[in-house]
C-alpha cells in the first residue's frame, strides 16, 4: 500500500539552505504533490456536469469535485480552477444545475471536459436537453439526479475557487451512475426504478 504525505516547507534559515539542497527540496515537494494528487484520485467520486445560462450563452463543465451538505437549508459546493471558463460561467449566473451523470453518459462527460467545447444549446442534439431549456436553467436528459443550485459564496482555495450554493430544487431517477476512480471512468451500482422517481422542491 502506497502512502502519500504532503510535507510542509521548512522554516526559512533551516538546515539545507544551500542552492543544491533547495533544488532537491523543490524536487521532493513536486514529487510529494504528485503523489498526493494521485492518492486523491483514488477516492471514488460521481461525475457531474454543471449547466447554466440560456440559449447561445448556455454552458456546461464536467467536474468530479461536486459535494452536497444535507441540512436546513441543503447546500452544495464545487471546486473549479481559478480563471477557468466554467467558473466564470457559474459566477455570472443566478442558478446552475448539477447533473449527476448516468453510466451511459460517458460521452457527455468527455464532451464537457474538452477545453475547446462549443457554447450554447446547439452544441448538443435537442433531445439531449430535458424539457424546454429555453425557459430556465438547462439540464441534461438521462441523468440519475439533478440539483438546481443558487450560488451564495465563492471561497479561494489554492489555485481553485470553491463555489458554495444553496440547493433550491432536486430530482432523482433510477439508473446506474458514472463514477471516476484512479484516472478512469467506471459504472456504479444500478438503482432500480422502484426506488425512484422522486422530486422534491426544497425552497420557492
Amino acid at each position: 500500500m502506497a502512502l502519500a504525505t504532503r510535507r510542509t516547507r521548512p522554516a526559512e534559515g533551516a538546515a539545507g539552505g544551500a542552492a543544491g539542497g533547495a533544488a532537491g527540496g523543490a524536487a521532493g515537494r513536486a514529487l510529494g504533490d504528485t503523489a498526493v494528487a494521485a492518492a486523491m484520485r483514488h477516492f471514488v467520486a460521481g461525475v457531474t456536469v454543471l449547466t447554466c445560462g440560456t440559449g447561445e450563452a448556455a454552458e456546461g463543465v464536467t467536474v468530479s469535485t461536486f459535494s452536497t451538505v444535507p441540512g436546513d437549508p441543503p447546500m452544495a459546493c464545487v471546486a473549479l480552477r481559478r480563471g477557468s471558463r466554467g467558473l466564470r460561467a457559474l459566477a455570472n449566473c443566478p442558478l446552475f444545475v448539477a447533473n449527476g451523470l448516468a453510466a451511459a453518459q460517458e460521452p457527455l462527460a468527455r464532451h464537457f471536459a474538452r477545453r475547446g467545447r462549443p457554447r450554447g444549446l446547439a452544441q448538443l442534439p435537442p433531445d439531449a436537453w430535458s424539457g424546454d431549456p429555453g425557459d430556465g436553467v438547462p439540464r441534461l436528459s438521462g441523468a440519475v439526479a439533478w440539483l438546481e443550485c443558487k450560488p451564495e459564496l465563492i471561497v479561494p482555495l489554492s489555485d481553485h475557487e470553491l463555489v458554495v450554493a444553496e440547493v433550491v430544487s432536486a430530482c432523482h431517477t433510477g439508473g446506474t451512475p458514472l463514477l471516476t476512480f484512479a484516472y478512469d471512468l467506471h459504472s456504479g451500482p444500478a438503482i432500480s426504478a422502484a426506488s425512484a422517481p422522486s422530486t422534491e422542491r426544497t425552497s420557492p
Side-chain angles (χ1 to χ4, degrees):
M1 177 175 63
L3 297 179
T5 303
R6 182 166 187 172
R7 301 184 182 276
T8 57
R9 295 185 179 183
E12 187 175 351
R29 285 194 301 275
L31 290 174
D33 288 350
T34 300
V36 169
M40 285 179 170
R41 290 182 177 270
H42 280 72
F43 285 82
V44 178
V47 180
T48 303
V49 169
L50 309 179
T51 49
C52 62
T54 57
E56 294 182 356
E59 275 280 18
V61 58
T62 301
V63 299
S64 58
T65 58
F66 183 79
S67 298
T68 58
V69 182
D72 187 15
M75 305 293 289
C77 59
V78 61
L80 294 165
R81 187 172 297 278
R82 185 173 297 123
S84 66
R85 172 176 155 182
L87 178 61
R88 291 194 301 271
L90 260 64
N92 290 320
C93 288
L95 294 170
F96 68 88
V97 170
N99 303 265
L101 295 191
Q105 293 179 307
E106 181 176 336
L108 283 180
R110 299 192 184 281
H111 170 81
F112 285 109
R114 287 169 41 207
R115 289 184 180 272
R117 62 190 181 279
R119 289 180 169 85
L121 297 176
Q123 65 185 282
L124 297 177
D127 60 0
W129 303 107
S130 178
D132 184 358
D135 288 345
V137 185
R139 62 179 63 192
L140 297 173
S141 298
V144 298
W146 299 267
L147 295 178
E148 188 177 36
C149 304
K150 180 176 67 172
E152 296 285 352
L153 182 67
I154 298 180
V155 182
L157 289 178
S158 184
D159 60 351
H160 283 60
E161 304 275 352
L162 184 71
V163 180
V164 181
E166 179 182 350
V167 177
V168 298
S169 68
C171 178
H172 74 274
T173 65
T176 302
L178 183 65
L179 306 178
T180 177
F181 174 72
Y183 299 91
D184 206 355
L185 299 178
H186 306 268
S187 295
I191 303 298
S192 68
S195 62
S198 172
T199 303
E200 177 184 358
R201 188 79 185 181
T202 57
S203 68

